[in-house]
Amino acid sequence: EFLQSHPVKTLNVVAHIRYATRGEVKLENVHPFSREMWGCNFCFAHNGDVSLFDRNLFQKSNNNIKHSQSINTNPNDNQSKTRTSIPQKMSLIFSSSYTQIPWIGKSIGVEDPGIRYYNPIGATDSETMFCAILNALRARFDTLPTLPVLHAALSALCNEIVTRDKETMGGNTILNFLLGCGPHLQFAYSWPGAREGSEVWNGLHYLVREPPFGSAHLSDCDYSIDFSAVTKEDDRVAVIATSPLTDDEDWVEFERGQLILFDDGVPHMAPEDCEEVEFRNHGLVSSAIPAAPSLEVDMRRYRLRTSFFEGSGI
């Protein structure tokens, strides 16, 4: 009723219905999560389970490491060849009061700096993972990345998360997310799966609606809508959902490990495909961080494949 009386017009929407598996039912655990980075708004919603970012699990792991450490406060004790500095001693003394979230970033060439700029407010693995992704990107780029470079970096980070989750936690990784970047862009990634003891398959599907618009029938109830009556001739929209929402349209299921950038209702599958979005001036825009000198320089700087430049006139 509120939306009907107060219609919202936007180019980019992220909506999430939460089935709580990690973290209590509280406002701070509600998706989507939002943060500012590089002077841009980032919005994140996740469906799945990633034990690597489960606070209860990685906190226990950190505590085991902390409890195994000791502080040598006797200046006459020469049994140990290494000395613990005052900052290290203070860190150990207060270590029980905080827990750093896991670091990811090796896949994009960033080692753990020992600090976390972004931290979760709630207790979900989803928000923790979102913060970890932003921490890695912030540490990697000193100029605003172009979209081919950002696509490649996000894809590498997703692969790193899946690999580490399996290696360190042995978990049944389910990682499906939407990442909104500014007013135009939305990334979507899927590593599908079913939770233990459940037959419900958690993945991602997408659909592009464009002229000529017709009617569609919902798959879970007897309700249809005629999109030709509520759209214009130049409209186009991409809809991304866990499972197909309608039973009379051609939905496409994401491949395992696939990252897609959506802009103006068009899916862009690979880093090279994202150059078109840059040329349409729908890339990231900010006055808080310098822009990349050019698309070609940015891609060469971060060692992306540049064979597609040949014949492109760049």
Side-chain angles (χ1 to χ4, degrees):
E1 181 179 344
F2 177 82
L3 291 178
Q4 288 179 341
S5 58
H6 300 79
V8 177
K9 294 184 178 181
T10 181
L11 298 172
N12 203 352
V13 176
V14 175
H16 185 274
I17 300 175
R18 182 175 182 239
Y19 179 82
T21 56
R22 300 181 192 270
E24 299 179 34
V25 179
K26 291 183 177 181
L27 180 61
E28 58 264 34
N29 293 329
V30 173
H31 305 226
F33 305 103
S34 180
R35 296 290 192 280
E36 176 276 328
M37 182 172 70
W38 305 325
C40 305
N41 185 57
F42 285 76
C43 180
F44 184 87
H46 168 238
N47 175 22
D49 279 304
V50 184
S51 298
L52 177 65
F53 297 107
D54 185 322
R55 183 184 300 271
N56 293 326
L57 296 178
F58 71 73
Q59 189 169 13
K60 289 179 181 178
S61 176
N62 285 354
N63 286 340
N64 288 338
I65 295 174
K66 294 167 185 173
H67 292 160
S68 68
Q69 296 173 324
S70 60
I71 303 176
N72 180 11
T73 58
N74 185 354
N76 298 320
D77 185 358
N78 296 320
Q79 293 181 357
S80 174
K81 294 183 179 180
T82 61
R83 293 296 181 94
T84 304
S85 66
I86 295 299
Q88 287 175 322
K89 292 177 182 178
M90 297 303 295
S91 175
L92 290 173
I93 291 172
F94 292 106
S95 63
S96 60
S97 63
Y98 74 95
T99 301
Q100 280 194 335
I101 66 175
W103 176 262
I104 58 169
K106 287 188 176 181
S107 59
I108 58 174
V110 182
E111 297 294 332
D112 187 351
I115 58 174
R116 305 291 184 266
Y117 187 84
Y118 296 100
N119 290 282
I121 299 171
T124 66
D125 57 330
S126 306
E127 187 187 14
T128 303
M129 177 169 56
F130 176 39
C131 291
I133 291 173
L134 293 184
N135 282 328
L137 293 175
R138 185 178 185 273
R140 181 66 178 103
F141 298 111
D142 53 8
T143 59
L144 201 63
T146 56
L147 295 180
V149 170
L150 182 58
H151 188 294
L154 284 171
S155 183
L157 290 173
C158 289
N159 292 335
E160 181 179 349
I161 290 171
V162 171
T163 300
R164 283 193 55 192
D165 189 53
K166 290 183 178 297
E167 289 179 350
T168 61
M169 297 296 183
N172 176 29
T173 307
I174 307 173
L175 175 55
N176 305 286
F177 70 72
L178 304 177
L179 176 64
C181 309
H184 297 284
L185 310 172
Q186 188 165 153
F187 285 95
Y189 175 85
S190 180
W191 188 275
R195 292 183 174 89
E196 186 176 354
S198 173
E199 296 181 357
V200 177
W201 186 254
N202 295 283
L204 283 182
H205 298 73
Y206 75 90
L207 169 74
V208 176
R209 293 194 182 107
E210 55 189 344
F213 292 100
S215 62
H217 182 267
L218 292 179
S219 57
D220 58 351
C221 68
D222 188 14
Y223 184 84
S224 297
I225 182 171
D226 181 6
F227 286 104
S228 65
V230 294
T231 55
K232 301 192 297 286
E233 292 184 356
D234 58 348
D235 282 347
R236 180 177 54 224
V237 60
V239 183
I240 310 157
T242 299
S243 58
L245 301 178
T246 56
D247 53 21
D248 54 358
E249 296 180 289
D250 296 325
W251 291 81
V252 179
E253 184 174 8
F254 278 60
E255 298 178 5
R256 181 179 294 273
Q258 186 174 33
L259 176 71
I260 304 178
L261 170 65
F262 290 87
D263 171 63
D264 267 1
V266 177
H268 302 272
M269 310 295 184
E272 303 94 288
D273 301 331
C274 300
E275 67 163 337
E276 176 188 345
V277 184
E278 283 285 344
F279 293 150
R280 294 175 64 245
N281 294 321
H282 279 191
L284 298 177
V285 178
S286 173
S287 59
I289 181 175
S294 69
L295 176 60
E296 182 179 13
V297 169
D298 204 37
M299 294 189 70
R300 292 189 187 281
R301 179 185 180 189
Y302 294 104
R303 301 179 182 178
L304 286 188
R305 183 169 60 85
T306 54
S307 60
F308 78 96
F309 286 127
E310 298 176 3
S312 64
I314 298 179

